[in-house]
Amino acid sequence: MRRIGYILVLALAVLLGGLFVGEAQAVTYDPEELTFAHLLNGYRVSQGLQPLLISDALSESGDRHSSDMGKYAFFAHATQGSDWFPIGASPWDRMAASGYNFSTYKGENIAAGHTTAEAVFEDWKGSPSHAVNMLSPNFRVVGISLVYVDGSPYRYYWTTDFGGYVDPSAIAFWDLAGEDDELLLAANYAKAAGIIVGYEDGSLGPYQPLLKRHVALVCERAGLTCSLSPDDYTPALRSDVRDSIPGLTWLDERWDEPVTRGQLVRLIWRAQ
């Protein structure tokens, strides 16, 4: 356990909720939150479980609770002071008020004092009660929140909210509904990380071909080495991507075909 000058505290709840109403707002993710998603999903896959999609609605619920815990100096699953929720609100109340208003399996982990994703992940992994949520086969989505509150007792507050239903905010692009789980997960992660933005209408266009400059720009955002030029406006073939980005794994060949947006998203995800 990493200590940074004060006591680290942890708590857990596995809770089922009813139906409420609410609407999620736009959510952004910092590198530590995305690192936690990667650690969590790697842990689940290592145990033979399905990885989780990131739900903006659940992340917003977590952001609000993390912020409240710091601002109002409490550490609990029940709200004791808030800018958004009534006093005594439960995790499922907060989830519903933030847009996750589904009758399904729900759970929550909270922690305070951890500065990094690795630190909170290792503590939760080593705690049987916390690992129950991280390894539950009933969950399909997760919301991840790390909020820093200056002057608060623990400064760093983590909330992860889990749900058993894949809500619309967890499908990064509307035209991916009905696609396979790997593409959903890859696009979800790529959008949360700011690697892929998509079209103005909210679609990804998974079957649209890419230019070499597009591949180069996406690789730059993903932190991958790529020999293609962002000034090259010629079509990118699958062979071009294969030769320009070392270490990528393809499932098949057809090297003379243009690479598509969906294919590139998959490759970026596999390279993480």
Side-chain angles (χ1 to χ4, degrees), residues 51-73:
L52 302 178
L53 296 173
I54 300 173
S55 164
D56 286 352
L58 290 180
S59 294
E60 181 177 88
S61 174
D63 282 343
R64 290 172 170 179
H65 188 55
S66 294
S67 178
D68 284 341
M69 286 193 291
K71 180 175 180 179
Y72 294 98

Side-chain angles (χ1 to χ4, degrees), residues 168-182:
S169 79
I171 300 177
F173 305 98
W174 61 262
D175 58 340
L176 296 187
E179 294 286 352
D180 63 85
D181 285 345
E182 185 192 43

Side-chain angles (χ1 to χ4, degrees), residues 64-74 81-84 147-155 157:
R64 290 172 170 179
H65 188 55
S66 294
S67 178
D68 284 341
M69 286 193 291
K71 180 175 180 179
Y72 294 98
F74 70 94
S82 180
D83 293 333
W84 295 280
V147 174
Y148 173 81
V149 182
D150 191 26
S152 63
Y154 301 106
R155 295 194 296 168
Y157 295 84

Side-chain angles (χ1 to χ4, degrees), residues 1-112:
M1 178 181 294
R2 179 175 179 177
R3 297 185 180 274
I4 49 179
Y6 39 82
I7 299 172
L8 297 174
V9 287
L10 300 169
L12 166 80
V14 180
L15 301 158
L16 297 179
L19 295 175
F20 299 84
V21 295
E23 183 176 354
Q25 305 300 315
V27 177
T28 58
Y29 297 88
D30 71 21
E32 289 301 322
E33 291 169 329
L34 293 173
T35 295
F36 182 86
H38 184 66
L39 292 170
L40 171 64
N41 279 333
Y43 183 34
R44 288 178 62 87
V45 170
S46 74
Q47 301 301 308
L49 296 169
Q50 186 176 31
L52 302 178
L53 296 173
I54 300 173
S55 164
D56 286 352
L58 290 180
S59 294
E60 181 177 88
S61 174
D63 282 343
R64 290 172 170 179
H65 188 55
S66 294
S67 178
D68 284 341
M69 286 193 291
K71 180 175 180 179
Y72 294 98
F74 70 94
F75 183 76
H77 291 288
T79 297
Q80 298 178 18
S82 180
D83 293 333
W84 295 280
F85 310 113
I87 303 303
S90 66
W92 58 80
D93 293 333
R94 295 189 296 268
M95 294 178 198
S98 301
Y100 196 80
N101 54 340
F102 307 99
S103 181
T104 185
Y105 292 99
K106 297 173 186 175
E108 179 174 273
N109 285 0
I110 59 176

Side-chain angles (χ1 to χ4, degrees), residues 160-190:
T160 52
D161 285 334
F162 300 85
Y165 177 77
V166 179
D167 63 293
S169 79
I171 300 177
F173 305 98
W174 61 262
D175 58 340
L176 296 187
E179 294 286 352
D180 63 85
D181 285 345
E182 185 192 43
L183 183 54
L184 284 177
L185 185 68
N188 181 281
Y189 183 88

